[in-house]
Amino acid sequence: MIFLTALPMFWIMIAASRGGHWGAWMPSSISAFEGTCVAIPCRFDFPDELRPAVVHGVWYFNSPYPKNYPPVVFKSRTQVVHESFQGRSRLLGDLGLRNCTLLLSSLSPELRGKYYFRGDLGGYNQYTFSEHSVLDIINTPNIVVPLEVVAGTEVEVSCMVPDNCPELRPELSWLGHDGLGEPTVLGRLREDEGTWVQVLLLHFMPTREANGHRLGCQAAFPNTSLQFEGYASLDIKYPPVIVEMNSSVEAIEGSHVSLLCGADSNPLPLLTWMRDGTVLREAVAESLLLELDEVTPGEDGIYACLAENSYGQDNRTVGLSVMYAPWKPTVNGTVVAVEGETVSILCSTQSNPDPILTIFKEKQILATVIYESELQLELPAVTPEDDGEYWCVAENQYGQRATAFNLSVEFAPVILLESHCAAARDTVQCLCVVKSNPEPSVAFELPSRNVTVNETEREFVYSERSGLLLTSILTLRGQAQVPPRVICTTRNLYGTKSLELPFQGAHRLMWAKIGPVGAVVAFAILIAIVCYITQTRRKKNVTESPSFSAGDNPPVLFSSDFRISGAPEKYESERRLGSERRLLGLRGEHPELDLSFSHSDLGKRPTKDSYTLTEELAEYAEIRVK
């Protein structure tokens, strides 16, 4: 609010005392309400040496030159005026005192315009002053609001109306100011150019809620029906406040997510969506939507919305939780250990929510945790029984994933108790079963022969590994009369173990202990050896008899299971019939056993003479029965 001060009048008096110049003073502009009146203040001067007996004057409308025949507003000589001003204009000032103040009443819009004064001292002493006053006819009070109204900073709003009608004085009042403050009447003030205004003030502390409030001012003239109103909308500036935002959001992996941020501010804020300092989207708007298509676990986290304008800023955050099934577990830890060591295995995964983690071996649960992302398995002093395949399983309501891992326990060889030798007819078979990790080497020692046979001599030793068990079979022919001592020796990098294999009887063959697969393989090797020797003898066409030499350096392994050359057909037929009877008799005595055989039971060996094959099938049946 610019406070108005009264115009000093002494400068007019000084100017008049000087004389010698044509000049006039009047306000450049003046206003009044329609239907009221207005007094246009006016003073003029002329040279002193003229000293006229009578001073006359004329007021023109919109033109200062008489030759243009402008409308006459007032004329002191004849009182003849334009029809628009008849009964509506009169002179308030005394021309003899150089006061030319003009009063216009019953104002209407057509009287809006410029007013010029012309001094008439008689004869040629007439002068039209260039100074003029512009009259404005108004219908509303003027509400003055500061250029910037900021919330929280006290403000002064004024209502100003012209008060230039000496016959009618306005009364002012505020409209719609409830809750803003109490009005203050400042009074009637004189403006710089000599006009008058009535001023009504309102002091209040603006708030964001008052933004856009419609404030009015009323000017009423007592004892008349004249009443004028004016309004102004308050433009209150204030910093942003975020008023709309998602709460915490949960979404399943692959779904669509919308995050909304809305702010209240004046002027409009710059809205920005950010995550980890990275701007995702921004715009000048009341609200801003962030769209996330097919969300992934990598988009899980905290999202921030920042709202700012020139008056301040506000920010809020929202958490996005992406729900997903566990990832494939990872296993970090010892997977190879020496017997007796402590093993620590860590299984970890990632999921939302956290999973149930379980480690088990052979369907036996060893460790489990609920709603944890890591599981530690401790195995103190591992034993060979801890060797094997383990599973780590992670699951939540969105899915299940599993990872298999192997724990390898390394230990010195152990020869199991089922290791032994057995004799059948002229054949001795020795079984050595070793449990070890890593895989051991196995050798059979015959002290009486001063000979050692290892598994590289595949013609006599067959080895098969299953898990941690290594089964080696040694086959000796022609040993039925004097079974030899057999020592099984096994070793790996952790130690050596030896055991003299005990004999369990002449009719309990070793492969009966190790199952059908071992028996079939052993039979296949044995029959292959017999076929090889038989074919060799046929080629030489030499008659040989089974023998066993016991010289200084006798051979360790040999076979005497040869077919006798030149044997009569009758002898072969009798042997075949005898074998068939044995086989049929066993089937009749033991119907509960499956004693049906084929070449596959003997490893599909080369076909032998019919009597030999029948005899061996009978022997195999006896073994099955026993």
Side-chain angles (χ1 to χ4, degrees):
M1 170 67 188
I2 301 175
F3 291 98
L4 305 175
T5 58
L7 176 67
M9 296 296 296
F10 67 88
W11 71 271
I12 300 175
M13 298 172 62
I14 294 175
S17 65
R18 290 177 179 177
H21 298 283
W22 291 96
W25 175 90
M26 65 186 69
S28 61
S29 64
I30 192 169
S31 60
F33 283 103
E34 183 179 357
T36 64
C37 66
V38 63
I40 302 175
C42 176
R43 294 186 65 83
F44 67 97
D45 197 10
F46 52 84
D48 291 340
E49 63 268 18
L50 296 180
R51 297 179 182 181
V54 179
V55 177
H56 291 280
V58 181
W59 278 93
Y60 292 116
F61 180 63
N62 277 341
S63 178
Y65 305 111
K67 64 180 180 179
N68 293 334
Y69 301 104
V72 176
V73 178
F74 173 81
K75 191 172 184 179
S76 62
R77 281 184 181 274
T78 64
Q79 300 297 319
V80 177
V81 298
H82 189 270
E83 58 182 7
S84 301
F85 295 96
Q86 288 181 0
R88 302 170 77 175
S89 63
R90 64 189 175 94
L91 195 66
L92 292 181
D94 185 348
L95 295 179
L97 298 177
R98 304 182 185 186
N99 187 332
C100 52
T101 299
L102 175 69
L103 176 66
L104 298 174
S105 58
S106 301
L107 296 175
S108 58
E110 66 268 17
L111 301 185
R112 184 183 291 119
K114 299 176 182 179
Y115 289 82
Y116 295 88
F117 178 71
R118 179 179 176 83
D120 183 2
L121 304 183
Y124 293 102
N125 296 318
Q126 298 182 21
Y127 189 85
T128 300
F129 299 98
S130 60
E131 293 82 357
H132 62 277
S133 184
V134 179
L135 174 62
D136 186 23
I137 310 300
I138 64 174
N139 291 301
T140 58
N142 181 30
I143 299 177
V144 180
V145 181
L147 293 177
E148 185 176 73
V149 180
V150 181
T153 303
E154 188 178 39
V155 68
E156 177 186 273
V157 179
S158 62
C159 176
M160 302 177 65
V161 298
D163 189 9
N164 297 307
C165 178
E167 300 172 356
L168 296 172
R169 294 291 171 83
E171 292 182 354
L172 304 180
S173 61
W174 288 108
L175 304 175
H177 69 289
D178 295 341
L180 294 180
E182 293 298 324
T184 301
V185 178
L186 188 59
R188 187 169 185 260
L189 298 178
R190 184 173 182 177
E191 297 179 296
D192 290 342
E193 292 187 330
T195 57
W196 295 87
V197 293
Q198 282 278 6
V199 180
L200 183 63
L201 302 179
L202 182 64
H203 291 267
F204 64 95
M205 186 72 71
T207 62
R208 67 175 58 244
E209 292 76 17
N211 182 48
H213 183 81
R214 199 161 179 259
L215 180 64
C217 179
Q218 183 183 80
F221 293 87
N223 303 320
T224 70
S225 61
L226 298 176
Q227 184 173 290
F228 303 92
E229 294 180 357
Y231 291 89
S233 293
L234 298 178
D235 184 18
I236 300 175
K237 310 297 184 183
Y238 53 92
V241 173
I242 295 178
V243 295
E244 185 178 13
M245 195 168 185
N246 303 77
S247 57
S248 296
V249 177
E250 288 188 357
I252 300 175
E253 181 180 10
S255 63
H256 177 84
V257 174
S258 297
L259 300 179
L260 177 65
C261 178
D264 174 36
S265 72
N266 187 24
L268 285 175
L270 172 65
L271 292 175
T272 305
W273 274 108
M274 304 178 68
R275 179 171 180 263
D276 297 333
T278 301
V279 175
L280 304 177
R281 190 183 180 195
E282 63 180 2
V284 176
E286 291 182 357
S287 62
L288 185 62
L289 193 63
L290 179 63
E291 302 278 358
L292 301 175
D293 294 323
E294 298 182 356
V295 292
T296 65
E299 293 173 294
D300 186 289
I302 301 299
Y303 290 76
C305 177
L306 175 66
E308 57 184 336
N309 63 14
S310 55
Y311 298 95
Q313 66 177 24
D314 189 21
N315 67 83
R316 285 178 59 185
T317 60
V318 58
L320 172 60
S321 182
V322 179
M323 318 301 285
Y324 58 97
W327 292 358
K328 186 176 179 64
T330 58
V331 177
N332 298 319
T334 304
V335 292
V336 177
V338 178
E339 182 179 13
E341 290 183 345
T342 297
V343 172
S344 177
I345 297 174
L346 177 65
C347 176
S348 62
T349 186
Q350 183 175 325
S351 70
N352 192 12
D354 284 331
I356 299 174
L357 275 173
T358 305
I359 295 179
F360 64 89
K361 177 176 183 273
E362 297 176 354
K363 299 183 180 181
Q364 179 181 359
I365 296 176
L366 303 179
T368 185
V369 291
I370 299 176
Y371 305 137
E372 297 286 344
S373 60
E374 292 184 350
L375 175 58
Q376 188 88 21
L377 175 63
E378 294 284 347
L379 297 175
V382 292
T383 65
E385 286 69 26
D386 294 320
D387 189 286
E389 184 181 57
Y390 292 72
W391 285 88
C392 178
V393 179
E395 60 181 328
N396 63 14
Q397 61 264 46
Y398 299 103
Q400 181 188 84
R401 296 296 298 275
T403 296
F405 62 95
N406 289 296
L407 172 61
S408 178
V409 179
E410 297 185 342
F411 55 94
V414 176
I415 300 177
L416 303 186
L417 296 178
E418 55 260 40
S419 302
H420 62 276
C421 292
R425 299 181 66 190
D426 60 349
T427 300
V428 173
Q429 286 192 326
C430 294
L431 177 71
C432 186
V433 182
V434 180
K435 188 175 184 179
S436 171
N437 189 20
E439 183 176 349
S441 62
V442 175
F444 293 93
E445 181 182 356
L446 284 72
S448 61
R449 302 284 194 268
N450 193 26
V451 172
T452 299
V453 180
N454 58 42
E455 53 193 340
T456 60
E457 300 179 65
R458 299 186 181 275
E459 185 177 358
F460 308 112
V461 178
Y462 167 76
S463 294
E464 181 182 82
R465 184 173 177 84
S466 176
L468 300 178
L469 295 180
L470 177 66
T471 302
S472 292
I473 302 173
L474 172 66
T475 303
L476 303 175
R477 290 288 187 179
Q479 308 297 317
Q481 299 299 323
V482 185
R485 291 176 57 219
V486 179
I487 298 175
C488 177
T489 300
T490 178
R491 62 171 51 86
N492 65 10
L493 58 90
Y494 297 106
T496 301
K497 189 71 173 179
S498 296
L499 176 67
E500 182 173 344
L501 302 179
F503 275 82
Q504 292 189 353
H507 300 289
R508 301 182 65 183
L509 300 178
M510 290 296 96
W511 50 78
K513 288 286 187 177
I514 63 175
V517 176
V520 169
V521 175
F523 265 111
I525 296 174
L526 178 61
I527 293 174
I529 296 172
V530 172
C531 291
Y532 172 77
I533 297 175
T534 301
Q535 292 174 1
T536 303
R537 290 178 59 85
R538 284 177 179 175
K539 290 179 181 180
K540 293 181 178 181
N541 196 19
V542 178
T543 303
E544 296 183 6
S545 299
S547 63
F548 179 83
S549 300
D552 295 334
N553 296 301
V556 176
L557 298 174
F558 64 94
S559 175
S560 61
D561 189 12
F562 302 132
R563 180 180 177 184
I564 301 176
S565 302
E569 293 295 328
K570 181 179 180 180
Y571 177 75
E572 292 181 3
S573 177
E574 290 176 353
R575 290 188 60 184
R576 181 172 62 254
L577 290 174
S579 298
E580 289 176 350
R581 291 191 188 99
R582 288 165 56 198
L583 184 58
L584 292 173
L586 289 172
R587 289 176 179 171
E589 294 173 2
H590 300 279
E592 74 278 8
L593 298 178
D594 182 9
L595 299 179
S596 299
F597 304 99
S598 64
H599 283 261
S600 62
D601 296 306
L602 300 176
K604 296 184 179 180
R605 298 171 300 170
T607 303
K608 306 178 75 173
D609 294 338
S610 60
Y611 82 90
T612 305
L613 181 58
T614 305
E615 183 180 25
E616 291 181 355
L617 289 173
E619 290 178 358
Y620 189 26
E622 288 178 345
I623 294 172
R624 293 284 296 276
V625 171
K626 293 177 181 180

